Amino acid sequence: MNSYKAKLSIDIKVETNATSTMTLNSSNITYDGLEDGYTLTFVTDKSSVVVSGTQSDIDTLSGTTLKGKIDVTGLDAGTHTVTVKPNLDETKYTWGEIKVQIVIGRKGDGGGTTGTDGTGTASGSITGGTTSGNTGSGSTGAGGSSSAGTSSGSTSSGNTGNNGSDSSSH
């Protein structure tokens, strides 16, 4: 019987886990699935997320900008809360859920159209009020008693009427 002595050597490197809190700005979030004729606005400006990994992997994140992506396929107009998938390697890192709030609107709705309609309505009301105010100010009554009817449109009818009466009594 032959006996062999073998020597086996194994080196195990144990690396500790580490965490880092990163900030995801809405300006660094892209989106897929937005239908033509719709707009997307972020309500959430930025989110914080805790990322875990080995110390050496976490160290490589230092100074990098966290980016993410959302899928809005099938979402209609309105406010929605969606989950962001960050641009991190899933084999190296784990992270908490990142949610952001968005508003999907139809192009042509909202600010531009509403502002135009509101201006049109407001100027119509003002014009109507001004016209009826001038007509109903009593300029017809004041004009009848004196020759100063031209000026009675811009001044109050009481003053014009009194001036007209004073000038005719002399």
Side-chain angles (χ1 to χ4, degrees), residues 53-104:
T54 63
Q55 185 63 55
S56 60
D57 287 338
I58 292 295
D59 289 344
T60 63
L61 291 178
S62 179
T64 62
T65 300
L66 185 61
K67 296 180 180 180
K69 184 178 250 185
I70 59 175
D71 186 4
V72 297
T73 303
L75 296 181
D76 202 7
T79 303
H80 305 277
T81 301
V82 294
T83 302
V84 180
K85 181 174 181 348
N87 66 332
L88 297 171
D89 184 346
E90 293 178 28
T91 63
K92 293 182 178 183
Y93 306 103
T94 58
W95 55 87
E97 189 173 57
I98 308 168
K99 290 195 174 273
V100 293
Q101 194 172 34
I102 60 168
V103 175
I104 296 178

mmCIF file of all heavy atoms in Angstrom, residues 53-104:
data_model
loop_
_atom_site.group_PDB
_atom_site.id
_atom_site.type_symbol
_atom_site.label_atom_id
_atom_site.label_comp_id
_atom_site.label_asym_id
_atom_site.label_seq_id
_atom_site.Cartn_x
_atom_site.Cartn_y
_atom_site.Cartn_z
ATOM 1 N N GLY A 53 -22.640 46.586 -0.374
ATOM 2 C CA GLY A 53 -21.739 45.743 -1.156
ATOM 3 C C GLY A 53 -20.460 45.544 -0.367
ATOM 4 O O GLY A 53 -20.366 45.934 0.789
ATOM 5 N N THR A 54 -19.482 44.942 -1.014
ATOM 6 C CA THR A 54 -18.196 44.785 -0.334
ATOM 7 C C THR A 54 -17.547 46.155 -0.211
ATOM 8 O O THR A 54 -17.860 47.080 -0.966
ATOM 9 C CB THR A 54 -17.271 43.849 -1.123
ATOM 10 O OG1 THR A 54 -16.995 44.440 -2.394
ATOM 11 C CG2 THR A 54 -17.879 42.468 -1.297
ATOM 12 N N GLN A 55 -16.642 46.270 0.729
ATOM 13 C CA GLN A 55 -15.987 47.557 0.957
ATOM 14 C C GLN A 55 -15.296 48.051 -0.314
ATOM 15 O O GLN A 55 -15.411 49.221 -0.670
ATOM 16 C CB GLN A 55 -14.969 47.450 2.103
ATOM 17 C CG GLN A 55 -14.328 48.772 2.475
ATOM 18 C CD GLN A 55 -15.326 49.787 3.010
ATOM 19 O OE1 GLN A 55 -16.047 49.514 3.950
ATOM 20 N NE2 GLN A 55 -15.372 50.971 2.400
ATOM 21 N N SER A 56 -14.611 47.162 -1.015
ATOM 22 C CA SER A 56 -13.908 47.599 -2.221
ATOM 23 C C SER A 56 -14.883 48.047 -3.311
ATOM 24 O O SER A 56 -14.614 49.002 -4.034
ATOM 25 C CB SER A 56 -12.974 46.500 -2.743
ATOM 26 O OG SER A 56 -13.712 45.336 -3.051
ATOM 27 N N ASP A 57 -16.043 47.365 -3.439
ATOM 28 C CA ASP A 57 -17.027 47.777 -4.433
ATOM 29 C C ASP A 57 -17.684 49.109 -4.055
ATOM 30 O O ASP A 57 -17.899 49.968 -4.908
ATOM 31 C CB ASP A 57 -18.107 46.701 -4.621
ATOM 32 C CG ASP A 57 -17.587 45.489 -5.377
ATOM 33 O OD1 ASP A 57 -16.574 45.622 -6.114
ATOM 34 O OD2 ASP A 57 -18.192 44.410 -5.245
ATOM 35 N N ILE A 58 -17.976 49.273 -2.785
ATOM 36 C CA ILE A 58 -18.556 50.536 -2.320
ATOM 37 C C ILE A 58 -17.564 51.679 -2.539
ATOM 38 O O ILE A 58 -17.946 52.771 -2.943
ATOM 39 C CB ILE A 58 -18.998 50.444 -0.838
ATOM 40 C CG1 ILE A 58 -20.171 49.491 -0.683
ATOM 41 C CG2 ILE A 58 -19.319 51.815 -0.262
ATOM 42 C CD1 ILE A 58 -21.456 49.932 -1.359
ATOM 43 N N ASP A 59 -16.294 51.407 -2.311
ATOM 44 C CA ASP A 59 -15.276 52.435 -2.529
ATOM 45 C C ASP A 59 -15.246 52.891 -3.984
ATOM 46 O O ASP A 59 -14.965 54.055 -4.268
ATOM 47 C CB ASP A 59 -13.890 51.930 -2.120
ATOM 48 C CG ASP A 59 -13.744 51.802 -0.601
ATOM 49 O OD1 ASP A 59 -14.577 52.379 0.132
ATOM 50 O OD2 ASP A 59 -12.793 51.116 -0.169
ATOM 51 N N THR A 60 -15.541 52.007 -4.926
ATOM 52 C CA THR A 60 -15.527 52.389 -6.342
ATOM 53 C C THR A 60 -16.697 53.308 -6.697
ATOM 54 O O THR A 60 -16.657 53.981 -7.713
ATOM 55 C CB THR A 60 -15.555 51.162 -7.279
ATOM 56 O OG1 THR A 60 -16.774 50.456 -7.078
ATOM 57 C CG2 THR A 60 -14.367 50.253 -7.056
ATOM 58 N N LEU A 61 -17.721 53.336 -5.862
ATOM 59 C CA LEU A 61 -18.863 54.220 -6.123
ATOM 60 C C LEU A 61 -18.578 55.667 -5.756
ATOM 61 O O LEU A 61 -19.295 56.569 -6.191
ATOM 62 C CB LEU A 61 -20.094 53.759 -5.335
ATOM 63 C CG LEU A 61 -20.750 52.461 -5.759
ATOM 64 C CD1 LEU A 61 -21.921 52.151 -4.844
ATOM 65 C CD2 LEU A 61 -21.211 52.542 -7.210
ATOM 66 N N SER A 62 -17.548 55.886 -4.968
ATOM 67 C CA SER A 62 -17.239 57.232 -4.497
ATOM 68 C C SER A 62 -17.055 58.181 -5.678
ATOM 69 O O SER A 62 -16.280 57.925 -6.591
ATOM 70 C CB SER A 62 -15.968 57.197 -3.655
ATOM 71 O OG SER A 62 -15.661 58.493 -3.216
ATOM 72 N N GLY A 63 -17.805 59.259 -5.666
ATOM 73 C CA GLY A 63 -17.696 60.272 -6.708
ATOM 74 C C GLY A 63 -18.492 59.980 -7.969
ATOM 75 O O GLY A 63 -18.508 60.792 -8.881
ATOM 76 N N THR A 64 -19.162 58.830 -8.043
ATOM 77 C CA THR A 64 -19.959 58.543 -9.233
ATOM 78 C C THR A 64 -21.355 59.127 -9.073
ATOM 79 O O THR A 64 -21.847 59.333 -7.967
ATOM 80 C CB THR A 64 -20.084 57.026 -9.499
ATOM 81 O OG1 THR A 64 -20.745 56.415 -8.400
ATOM 82 C CG2 THR A 64 -18.732 56.377 -9.709
ATOM 83 N N THR A 65 -21.986 59.376 -10.193
ATOM 84 C CA THR A 65 -23.349 59.907 -10.201
ATOM 85 C C THR A 65 -24.311 58.746 -10.375
ATOM 86 O O THR A 65 -24.183 57.969 -11.323
ATOM 87 C CB THR A 65 -23.527 60.902 -11.358
ATOM 88 O OG1 THR A 65 -22.601 61.983 -11.183
ATOM 89 C CG2 THR A 65 -24.935 61.451 -11.393
ATOM 90 N N LEU A 66 -25.240 58.636 -9.457
ATOM 91 C CA LEU A 66 -26.246 57.584 -9.541
ATOM 92 C C LEU A 66 -27.280 57.976 -10.586
ATOM 93 O O LEU A 66 -27.779 59.092 -10.593
ATOM 94 C CB LEU A 66 -26.909 57.378 -8.181
ATOM 95 C CG LEU A 66 -27.910 56.232 -8.074
ATOM 96 C CD1 LEU A 66 -27.243 54.893 -8.376
ATOM 97 C CD2 LEU A 66 -28.525 56.197 -6.688
ATOM 98 N N LYS A 67 -27.550 57.063 -11.489
ATOM 99 C CA LYS A 67 -28.561 57.270 -12.531
ATOM 100 C C LYS A 67 -29.585 56.163 -12.420
ATOM 101 O O LYS A 67 -29.339 55.137 -11.799
ATOM 102 C CB LYS A 67 -27.914 57.268 -13.910
ATOM 103 C CG LYS A 67 -26.942 58.415 -14.106
ATOM 104 C CD LYS A 67 -26.326 58.402 -15.469
ATOM 105 C CE LYS A 67 -25.355 59.576 -15.582
ATOM 106 N NZ LYS A 67 -24.717 59.621 -16.882
ATOM 107 N N GLY A 68 -30.736 56.379 -13.040
ATOM 108 C CA GLY A 68 -31.781 55.369 -12.969
ATOM 109 C C GLY A 68 -32.711 55.444 -14.161
ATOM 110 O O GLY A 68 -32.625 56.341 -15.000
ATOM 111 N N LYS A 69 -33.619 54.475 -14.217
ATOM 112 C CA LYS A 69 -34.568 54.394 -15.326
ATOM 113 C C LYS A 69 -35.913 53.949 -14.774
ATOM 114 O O LYS A 69 -35.983 53.150 -13.843
ATOM 115 C CB LYS A 69 -34.063 53.385 -16.352
ATOM 116 C CG LYS A 69 -34.925 53.300 -17.601
ATOM 117 C CD LYS A 69 -34.326 52.305 -18.582
ATOM 118 C CE LYS A 69 -33.792 53.092 -19.749
ATOM 119 N NZ LYS A 69 -33.298 52.265 -20.828
ATOM 120 N N ILE A 70 -36.991 54.492 -15.362
ATOM 121 C CA ILE A 70 -38.342 54.067 -15.013
ATOM 122 C C ILE A 70 -39.062 53.647 -16.286
ATOM 123 O O ILE A 70 -38.711 54.075 -17.380
ATOM 124 C CB ILE A 70 -39.138 55.177 -14.284
ATOM 125 C CG1 ILE A 70 -39.259 56.443 -15.147
ATOM 126 C CG2 ILE A 70 -38.543 55.472 -12.927
ATOM 127 C CD1 ILE A 70 -40.132 57.528 -14.554
ATOM 128 N N ASP A 71 -40.063 52.795 -16.114
ATOM 129 C CA ASP A 71 -40.894 52.352 -17.236
ATOM 130 C C ASP A 71 -42.312 52.844 -16.970
ATOM 131 O O ASP A 71 -42.907 52.517 -15.944
ATOM 132 C CB ASP A 71 -40.866 50.832 -17.352
ATOM 133 C CG ASP A 71 -41.590 50.322 -18.582
ATOM 134 O OD1 ASP A 71 -42.062 51.139 -19.400
ATOM 135 O OD2 ASP A 71 -41.696 49.089 -18.731
ATOM 136 N N VAL A 72 -42.839 53.649 -17.886
ATOM 137 C CA VAL A 72 -44.180 54.212 -17.711
ATOM 138 C C VAL A 72 -45.160 53.641 -18.737
ATOM 139 O O VAL A 72 -46.218 54.227 -18.972
ATOM 140 C CB VAL A 72 -44.147 55.760 -17.776
ATOM 141 C CG1 VAL A 72 -43.313 56.315 -16.638
ATOM 142 C CG2 VAL A 72 -43.626 56.260 -19.112
ATOM 143 N N THR A 73 -44.814 52.521 -19.307
ATOM 144 C CA THR A 73 -45.669 51.885 -20.312
ATOM 145 C C THR A 73 -47.060 51.643 -19.740
ATOM 146 O O THR A 73 -47.206 51.084 -18.654
ATOM 147 C CB THR A 73 -45.057 50.547 -20.779
ATOM 148 O OG1 THR A 73 -43.743 50.794 -21.275
ATOM 149 C CG2 THR A 73 -45.903 49.906 -21.856
ATOM 150 N N GLY A 74 -48.073 52.090 -20.475
ATOM 151 C CA GLY A 74 -49.459 51.843 -20.080
ATOM 152 C C GLY A 74 -50.027 52.821 -19.070
ATOM 153 O O GLY A 74 -51.207 52.735 -18.735
ATOM 154 N N LEU A 75 -49.208 53.755 -18.578
ATOM 155 C CA LEU A 75 -49.721 54.731 -17.608
ATOM 156 C C LEU A 75 -50.408 55.862 -18.350
ATOM 157 O O LEU A 75 -49.888 56.411 -19.313
ATOM 158 C CB LEU A 75 -48.587 55.288 -16.743
ATOM 159 C CG LEU A 75 -47.869 54.290 -15.842
ATOM 160 C CD1 LEU A 75 -46.784 54.991 -15.035
ATOM 161 C CD2 LEU A 75 -48.848 53.588 -14.918
ATOM 162 N N ASP A 76 -51.606 56.213 -17.892
ATOM 163 C CA ASP A 76 -52.394 57.279 -18.517
ATOM 164 C C ASP A 76 -52.115 58.591 -17.789
ATOM 165 O O ASP A 76 -51.355 58.634 -16.822
ATOM 166 C CB ASP A 76 -53.888 56.918 -18.440
ATOM 167 C CG ASP A 76 -54.711 57.659 -19.486
ATOM 168 O OD1 ASP A 76 -54.118 58.339 -20.350
ATOM 169 O OD2 ASP A 76 -55.948 57.567 -19.435
ATOM 170 N N ALA A 77 -52.738 59.659 -18.228
ATOM 171 C CA ALA A 77 -52.569 60.972 -17.609
ATOM 172 C C ALA A 77 -52.944 60.893 -16.131
ATOM 173 O O ALA A 77 -53.895 60.221 -15.753
ATOM 174 C CB ALA A 77 -53.425 62.004 -18.326
ATOM 175 N N GLY A 78 -52.152 61.568 -15.307
ATOM 176 C CA GLY A 78 -52.400 61.596 -13.870
ATOM 177 C C GLY A 78 -51.104 61.494 -13.084
ATOM 178 O O GLY A 78 -50.017 61.490 -13.643
ATOM 179 N N THR A 79 -51.230 61.416 -11.768
ATOM 180 C CA THR A 79 -50.081 61.308 -10.877
ATOM 181 C C THR A 79 -49.848 59.841 -10.541
ATOM 182 O O THR A 79 -50.792 59.118 -10.216
ATOM 183 C CB THR A 79 -50.330 62.109 -9.581
ATOM 184 O OG1 THR A 79 -50.607 63.472 -9.938
ATOM 185 C CG2 THR A 79 -49.127 62.058 -8.665
ATOM 186 N N HIS A 80 -48.586 59.415 -10.625
ATOM 187 C CA HIS A 80 -48.235 58.017 -10.384
ATOM 188 C C HIS A 80 -46.969 57.937 -9.535
ATOM 189 O O HIS A 80 -46.110 58.818 -9.606
ATOM 190 C CB HIS A 80 -47.958 57.291 -11.711
ATOM 191 C CG HIS A 80 -49.079 57.398 -12.695
ATOM 192 N ND1 HIS A 80 -50.175 56.574 -12.659
ATOM 193 C CD2 HIS A 80 -49.274 58.248 -13.743
ATOM 194 C CE1 HIS A 80 -50.994 56.901 -13.649
ATOM 195 N NE2 HIS A 80 -50.482 57.919 -14.317
ATOM 196 N N THR A 81 -46.855 56.867 -8.746
ATOM 197 C CA THR A 81 -45.631 56.558 -8.025
ATOM 198 C C THR A 81 -45.019 55.343 -8.699
ATOM 199 O O THR A 81 -45.677 54.306 -8.835
ATOM 200 C CB THR A 81 -45.916 56.275 -6.535
ATOM 201 O OG1 THR A 81 -46.543 57.436 -5.961
ATOM 202 C CG2 THR A 81 -44.634 55.966 -5.787
ATOM 203 N N VAL A 82 -43.770 55.475 -9.149
ATOM 204 C CA VAL A 82 -43.112 54.406 -9.899
ATOM 205 C C VAL A 82 -41.784 54.050 -9.249
ATOM 206 O O VAL A 82 -41.186 54.848 -8.529
ATOM 207 C CB VAL A 82 -42.894 54.804 -11.374
ATOM 208 C CG1 VAL A 82 -44.208 54.956 -12.112
ATOM 209 C CG2 VAL A 82 -42.092 56.088 -11.486
ATOM 210 N N THR A 83 -41.330 52.819 -9.511
ATOM 211 C CA THR A 83 -40.068 52.325 -8.967
ATOM 212 C C THR A 83 -38.942 52.583 -9.959
ATOM 213 O O THR A 83 -39.081 52.328 -11.152
ATOM 214 C CB THR A 83 -40.171 50.818 -8.673
ATOM 215 O OG1 THR A 83 -41.250 50.604 -7.753
ATOM 216 C CG2 THR A 83 -38.891 50.289 -8.060
ATOM 217 N N VAL A 84 -37.827 53.084 -9.444
ATOM 218 C CA VAL A 84 -36.656 53.389 -10.266
ATOM 219 C C VAL A 84 -35.678 52.230 -10.196
ATOM 220 O O VAL A 84 -35.406 51.694 -9.121
ATOM 221 C CB VAL A 84 -35.946 54.668 -9.770
ATOM 222 C CG1 VAL A 84 -34.739 54.988 -10.631
ATOM 223 C CG2 VAL A 84 -36.903 55.836 -9.718
ATOM 224 N N LYS A 85 -35.147 51.844 -11.349
ATOM 225 C CA LYS A 85 -34.081 50.838 -11.402
ATOM 226 C C LYS A 85 -32.770 51.597 -11.585
ATOM 227 O O LYS A 85 -32.539 52.215 -12.620
ATOM 228 C CB LYS A 85 -34.305 49.872 -12.558
ATOM 229 C CG LYS A 85 -33.213 48.809 -12.611
ATOM 230 C CD LYS A 85 -33.496 47.769 -13.655
ATOM 231 C CE LYS A 85 -32.470 46.676 -13.730
ATOM 232 N NZ LYS A 85 -31.237 46.789 -13.067
ATOM 233 N N PRO A 86 -31.902 51.582 -10.563
ATOM 234 C CA PRO A 86 -30.642 52.326 -10.670
ATOM 235 C C PRO A 86 -29.653 51.614 -11.599
ATOM 236 O O PRO A 86 -29.776 50.421 -11.860
ATOM 237 C CB PRO A 86 -30.120 52.363 -9.234
ATOM 238 C CG PRO A 86 -30.755 51.208 -8.555
ATOM 239 C CD PRO A 86 -32.057 50.959 -9.254
ATOM 240 N N ASN A 87 -28.658 52.360 -12.069
ATOM 241 C CA ASN A 87 -27.647 51.820 -12.966
ATOM 242 C C ASN A 87 -26.515 51.138 -12.187
ATOM 243 O O ASN A 87 -25.344 51.373 -12.446
ATOM 244 C CB ASN A 87 -27.085 52.930 -13.867
ATOM 245 C CG ASN A 87 -26.313 53.978 -13.073
ATOM 246 O OD1 ASN A 87 -26.571 54.208 -11.898
ATOM 247 N ND2 ASN A 87 -25.365 54.635 -13.721
ATOM 248 N N LEU A 88 -26.871 50.286 -11.262
ATOM 249 C CA LEU A 88 -25.882 49.569 -10.448
ATOM 250 C C LEU A 88 -25.834 48.104 -10.849
ATOM 251 O O LEU A 88 -26.851 47.530 -11.250
ATOM 252 C CB LEU A 88 -26.243 49.686 -8.960
ATOM 253 C CG LEU A 88 -26.224 51.096 -8.375
ATOM 254 C CD1 LEU A 88 -26.802 51.092 -6.970
ATOM 255 C CD2 LEU A 88 -24.810 51.657 -8.384
ATOM 256 N N ASP A 89 -24.677 47.500 -10.717
ATOM 257 C CA ASP A 89 -24.470 46.092 -11.034
ATOM 258 C C ASP A 89 -25.110 45.229 -9.937
ATOM 259 O O ASP A 89 -24.678 45.258 -8.783
ATOM 260 C CB ASP A 89 -22.965 45.818 -11.129
ATOM 261 C CG ASP A 89 -22.640 44.399 -11.554
ATOM 262 O OD1 ASP A 89 -23.530 43.525 -11.525
ATOM 263 O OD2 ASP A 89 -21.464 44.170 -11.921
ATOM 264 N N GLU A 90 -26.132 44.467 -10.328
ATOM 265 C CA GLU A 90 -26.854 43.639 -9.350
ATOM 266 C C GLU A 90 -26.001 42.516 -8.775
ATOM 267 O O GLU A 90 -26.345 41.953 -7.741
ATOM 268 C CB GLU A 90 -28.114 43.055 -10.000
ATOM 269 C CG GLU A 90 -29.139 44.109 -10.348
ATOM 270 C CD GLU A 90 -30.363 43.522 -11.042
ATOM 271 O OE1 GLU A 90 -30.694 42.352 -10.812
ATOM 272 O OE2 GLU A 90 -30.986 44.266 -11.814
ATOM 273 N N THR A 91 -24.915 42.177 -9.434
ATOM 274 C CA THR A 91 -24.047 41.114 -8.907
ATOM 275 C C THR A 91 -23.103 41.647 -7.830
ATOM 276 O O THR A 91 -22.533 40.869 -7.075
ATOM 277 C CB THR A 91 -23.214 40.468 -10.039
ATOM 278 O OG1 THR A 91 -22.341 41.448 -10.607
ATOM 279 C CG2 THR A 91 -24.110 39.879 -11.111
ATOM 280 N N LYS A 92 -22.952 42.958 -7.736
ATOM 281 C CA LYS A 92 -22.042 43.553 -6.752
ATOM 282 C C LYS A 92 -22.762 44.298 -5.630
ATOM 283 O O LYS A 92 -22.226 44.433 -4.538
ATOM 284 C CB LYS A 92 -21.092 44.542 -7.437
ATOM 285 C CG LYS A 92 -20.111 43.915 -8.385
ATOM 286 C CD LYS A 92 -19.211 44.987 -8.952
ATOM 287 C CE LYS A 92 -18.174 44.399 -9.883
ATOM 288 N NZ LYS A 92 -17.246 45.417 -10.381
ATOM 289 N N TYR A 93 -23.947 44.822 -5.937
ATOM 290 C CA TYR A 93 -24.607 45.704 -4.988
ATOM 291 C C TYR A 93 -26.036 45.272 -4.712
ATOM 292 O O TYR A 93 -26.698 44.661 -5.543
ATOM 293 C CB TYR A 93 -24.654 47.144 -5.535
ATOM 294 C CG TYR A 93 -23.312 47.690 -5.931
ATOM 295 C CD1 TYR A 93 -22.943 47.761 -7.272
ATOM 296 C CD2 TYR A 93 -22.415 48.139 -4.977
ATOM 297 C CE1 TYR A 93 -21.708 48.264 -7.650
ATOM 298 C CE2 TYR A 93 -21.178 48.644 -5.347
ATOM 299 C CZ TYR A 93 -20.838 48.700 -6.680
ATOM 300 O OH TYR A 93 -19.608 49.198 -7.039
ATOM 301 N N THR A 94 -26.496 45.646 -3.540
ATOM 302 C CA THR A 94 -27.922 45.561 -3.216
ATOM 303 C C THR A 94 -28.334 46.953 -2.753
ATOM 304 O O THR A 94 -27.510 47.742 -2.284
ATOM 305 C CB THR A 94 -28.216 44.529 -2.102
ATOM 306 O OG1 THR A 94 -27.484 44.877 -0.925
ATOM 307 C CG2 THR A 94 -27.851 43.120 -2.552
ATOM 308 N N TRP A 95 -29.619 47.258 -2.895
ATOM 309 C CA TRP A 95 -30.112 48.580 -2.529
ATOM 310 C C TRP A 95 -31.573 48.500 -2.155
ATOM 311 O O TRP A 95 -32.273 47.554 -2.492
ATOM 312 C CB TRP A 95 -29.918 49.582 -3.673
ATOM 313 C CG TRP A 95 -30.533 49.142 -4.964
ATOM 314 C CD1 TRP A 95 -31.813 49.338 -5.379
ATOM 315 C CD2 TRP A 95 -29.907 48.400 -5.997
ATOM 316 N NE1 TRP A 95 -32.015 48.773 -6.610
ATOM 317 C CE2 TRP A 95 -30.854 48.179 -7.011
ATOM 318 C CE3 TRP A 95 -28.613 47.878 -6.173
ATOM 319 C CZ2 TRP A 95 -30.567 47.487 -8.180
ATOM 320 C CZ3 TRP A 95 -28.334 47.187 -7.334
ATOM 321 C CH2 TRP A 95 -29.300 46.998 -8.323
ATOM 322 N N GLY A 96 -32.002 49.508 -1.457
ATOM 323 C CA GLY A 96 -33.411 49.612 -1.084
ATOM 324 C C GLY A 96 -34.228 50.084 -2.273
ATOM 325 O O GLY A 96 -33.710 50.570 -3.279
ATOM 326 N N GLU A 97 -35.531 49.941 -2.155
ATOM 327 C CA GLU A 97 -36.434 50.346 -3.226
ATOM 328 C C GLU A 97 -36.431 51.869 -3.371
ATOM 329 O O GLU A 97 -36.487 52.594 -2.393
ATOM 330 C CB GLU A 97 -37.841 49.838 -2.916
ATOM 331 C CG GLU A 97 -38.811 50.002 -4.056
ATOM 332 C CD GLU A 97 -40.139 49.321 -3.764
ATOM 333 O OE1 GLU A 97 -40.759 49.657 -2.729
ATOM 334 O OE2 GLU A 97 -40.542 48.445 -4.544
ATOM 335 N N ILE A 98 -36.354 52.313 -4.621
ATOM 336 C CA ILE A 98 -36.383 53.747 -4.907
ATOM 337 C C ILE A 98 -37.691 54.047 -5.633
ATOM 338 O O ILE A 98 -37.955 53.489 -6.694
ATOM 339 C CB ILE A 98 -35.205 54.167 -5.811
ATOM 340 C CG1 ILE A 98 -33.877 53.676 -5.254
ATOM 341 C CG2 ILE A 98 -35.193 55.681 -5.991
ATOM 342 C CD1 ILE A 98 -32.728 53.805 -6.235
ATOM 343 N N LYS A 99 -38.507 54.916 -5.045
ATOM 344 C CA LYS A 99 -39.773 55.298 -5.679
ATOM 345 C C LYS A 99 -39.779 56.800 -5.892
ATOM 346 O O LYS A 99 -39.293 57.555 -5.054
ATOM 347 C CB LYS A 99 -40.957 54.880 -4.813
ATOM 348 C CG LYS A 99 -41.156 53.375 -4.764
ATOM 349 C CD LYS A 99 -42.525 53.030 -4.213
ATOM 350 C CE LYS A 99 -42.778 51.558 -4.304
ATOM 351 N NZ LYS A 99 -43.339 51.134 -5.560
ATOM 352 N N VAL A 100 -40.326 57.207 -7.037
ATOM 353 C CA VAL A 100 -40.495 58.626 -7.324
ATOM 354 C C VAL A 100 -41.923 58.872 -7.782
ATOM 355 O O VAL A 100 -42.581 57.969 -8.296
ATOM 356 C CB VAL A 100 -39.504 59.141 -8.403
ATOM 357 C CG1 VAL A 100 -38.082 59.104 -7.902
ATOM 358 C CG2 VAL A 100 -39.654 58.383 -9.699
ATOM 359 N N GLN A 101 -42.370 60.096 -7.573
ATOM 360 C CA GLN A 101 -43.714 60.468 -8.011
ATOM 361 C C GLN A 101 -43.593 61.284 -9.292
ATOM 362 O O GLN A 101 -42.752 62.185 -9.396
ATOM 363 C CB GLN A 101 -44.423 61.270 -6.924
ATOM 364 C CG GLN A 101 -45.904 61.387 -7.155
ATOM 365 C CD GLN A 101 -46.605 62.011 -5.959
ATOM 366 O OE1 GLN A 101 -46.066 62.869 -5.283
ATOM 367 N NE2 GLN A 101 -47.818 61.573 -5.700
ATOM 368 N N ILE A 102 -44.433 60.937 -10.275
ATOM 369 C CA ILE A 102 -44.425 61.616 -11.567
ATOM 370 C C ILE A 102 -45.837 62.059 -11.924
ATOM 371 O O ILE A 102 -46.809 61.538 -11.379
ATOM 372 C CB ILE A 102 -43.881 60.704 -12.688
ATOM 373 C CG1 ILE A 102 -44.739 59.436 -12.826
ATOM 374 C CG2 ILE A 102 -42.422 60.371 -12.472
ATOM 375 C CD1 ILE A 102 -44.470 58.622 -14.069
ATOM 376 N N VAL A 103 -45.930 63.018 -12.833
ATOM 377 C CA VAL A 103 -47.216 63.438 -13.379
ATOM 378 C C VAL A 103 -47.134 63.282 -14.891
ATOM 379 O O VAL A 103 -46.213 63.795 -15.527
ATOM 380 C CB VAL A 103 -47.545 64.899 -13.020
ATOM 381 C CG1 VAL A 103 -48.834 65.343 -13.708
ATOM 382 C CG2 VAL A 103 -47.658 65.068 -11.520
ATOM 383 N N ILE A 104 -48.082 62.550 -15.445
ATOM 384 C CA ILE A 104 -48.182 62.397 -16.887
ATOM 385 C C ILE A 104 -49.349 63.245 -17.350
ATOM 386 O O ILE A 104 -50.439 63.187 -16.780
ATOM 387 C CB ILE A 104 -48.387 60.919 -17.285
ATOM 388 C CG1 ILE A 104 -47.157 60.104 -16.881
ATOM 389 C CG2 ILE A 104 -48.656 60.794 -18.784
ATOM 390 C CD1 ILE A 104 -47.261 58.621 -17.185
#
